[in-house]
Amino acid sequence: GSLRRAASINAEYMGSMKGFVVHDVLTMGPLKTGLDFACATNEPGRTFQAAKFDGILGLGWPTISVDGIVPVMQQLNNAGELDQPVFAFYLNNNDNTPGELSIGGVDTDKMKGEVSYVPVVSDTYWTVNLGSMTVNGQSITTVHNAIVDSGTSLIVGPKREVKNLAKLAGATEVAAGQYSVDCSQTLPDMQVSIGSGSNKFDFTITGEALKIKICVAVVICQCLFGVAGMDLPEPLWILGDVMMREYYTIFDFGSNRV
C-alpha cells in the first residue's frame, strides 16, 4: 500500500475515529480493486472497544464519504468487477444457518415472492420515504423518513416515539432508550409502509421478530425489545437488522432504489 494523505474521520451515530488515508488493493473472493481507505490511529469512546470487528466497510453513498473517498461498492463497479451495481443481504434468526452478502447480484434461492423496490429519496444513507408505522392500528410516528441500514442491529426511532411504542408492547426500560421484554409474552406486530404511490411496500414485522433472545449457558435467557430510542440530528427511523432478518434486502445503487 501507499500513504496518501492525512484525514480526520467522524461518524455521527456509531462512534468516531481519527487517522490517515492509504491506498491499497482490496480483494474479496474473485473481486479486486485498488482503493483509498482510512487507517485509525485514535478511536475515542466505547464503540470500538466493545465491537467484535476489526474495521468498517461503509455501504453508504459517496456524498457522505469523508474526504471524497469513493466507497467500496462504487469503486468495484467503476473497476468493472460487478455484473450489476447491487449488493444484497440475507440475514436470519438461526445460528446454524449462515447469513449472506451478495455483491454484484442477488441470490434468488434466498428469497420468496416478488421483489418490491422503493426509491431512495436521499443519496446519503439508504433513505426511503416512511409512509406509516402502526401497532394495533395506532400510528406510532410522525416521522416521514427511514434509513435501511445493515450496520444497525435494532430498529431505532426517536426516543419519545419509542417510549410510547414500548408502553404499547409492555416493554421495560433498562437503559436510556433500551428496553427488555418477558421472553414468554406476546408482542404486537408492527405494520410499516415505505415508499409511495406505485412504488410502495407494505410489510409486517412480527411481534416475535421484535424479541431478541440472549442466552447464557443455554438455559438462562433474557429478551431485549428489538426497538431502541435514539434522537439523531434529524428525526428518522432506522430499519436495521431486526427488519432485514425478516426480508431479503437488495441495495441497488445503479437505480437508486432498495
Side-chain angles (χ1 to χ4, degrees):
S2 59
L3 178 64
R4 238 188 108 198
R5 59 186 178 274
S8 177
I9 312 294
N10 290 293
E12 287 292 333
Y13 63 88
M14 42 66 67
S16 64
M17 57 83 78
K18 292 183 179 180
F20 55 89
V21 176
V22 298
H23 184 89
D24 209 335
V25 175
L26 169 73
T27 303
M28 292 190 291
L31 307 176
K32 183 180 290 188
T33 184
L35 82 169
D36 295 341
F37 61 95
C39 293
T41 56
N42 184 28
E43 297 174 347
R46 300 179 58 186
T47 299
F48 292 102
Q49 291 177 4
K52 299 187 186 303
F53 49 78
D54 297 316
I56 295 172
L57 195 154
L59 297 171
W61 292 83
T63 55
I64 58 171
S65 177
V66 171
D67 218 21
I69 296 172
V70 179
V72 171
M73 294 299 163
Q74 283 80 2
Q75 187 66 24
L76 284 168
N77 191 54
N78 294 344
E81 291 288 297
L82 305 185
D83 293 336
Q84 303 171 54
V86 303
F87 56 93
F89 281 91
Y90 167 72
L91 305 178
N92 63 77
N93 289 305
N94 187 344
D95 289 342
N96 298 317
T97 303
E100 181 183 274
L101 166 61
S102 298
I103 301 174
V106 301
D107 187 345
T108 55
D109 291 338
K110 295 291 193 296
M111 47 173 119
K112 297 176 183 174
E114 295 295 314
V115 176
S116 298
Y117 285 106
V118 298
V120 170
V121 296
S122 171
D123 289 352
T124 50
Y125 301 100
W126 288 84
T127 310
V128 297
N129 176 262
L130 179 60
S132 64
M133 187 178 280
T134 61
V135 170
N136 293 334
Q138 180 177 333
S139 175
I140 59 171
T141 187
T142 59
V143 173
H144 299 297
N145 285 325
I147 291 171
V148 184
D149 183 32
S150 62
T152 300
S153 302
L154 307 178
I155 294 171
V156 176
K159 286 182 179 178
R160 180 181 57 82
E161 294 185 347
V162 171
K163 187 172 185 177
N164 292 336
L165 170 60
K167 279 184 185 176
L168 287 174
T172 303
E173 190 166 20
V174 292
Q178 298 178 32
Y179 299 83
S180 67
V181 293
D182 190 311
C183 291
S184 64
Q185 76 184 85
T186 300
L187 300 184
D189 296 345
M190 180 186 293
Q191 311 292 337
V192 183
S193 178
I194 57 176
S196 60
S198 60
N199 296 310
K200 187 173 74 163
F201 179 49
D202 299 328
F203 62 96
T204 299
I205 302 171
T206 66
E208 200 59 30
L210 293 173
K211 284 193 287 190
I212 300 176
K213 183 177 285 189
I214 299 173
C215 296
V216 179
V218 182
V219 292
I220 305 171
C221 298
Q222 62 176 342
C223 284
L224 298 178
F225 185 43
V227 185
M230 181 185 296
D231 290 330
L232 300 171
E234 61 176 293
L236 50 79
W237 281 77
I238 303 174
L239 302 174
D241 297 342
V242 166
M243 182 278 290
M244 290 178 60
R245 277 195 289 271
E246 301 300 298
Y247 296 93
Y248 188 87
T249 309
I250 302 167
F251 297 86
D252 184 342
F253 58 90
S255 299
N256 289 42
R257 60 184 185 172
V258 61

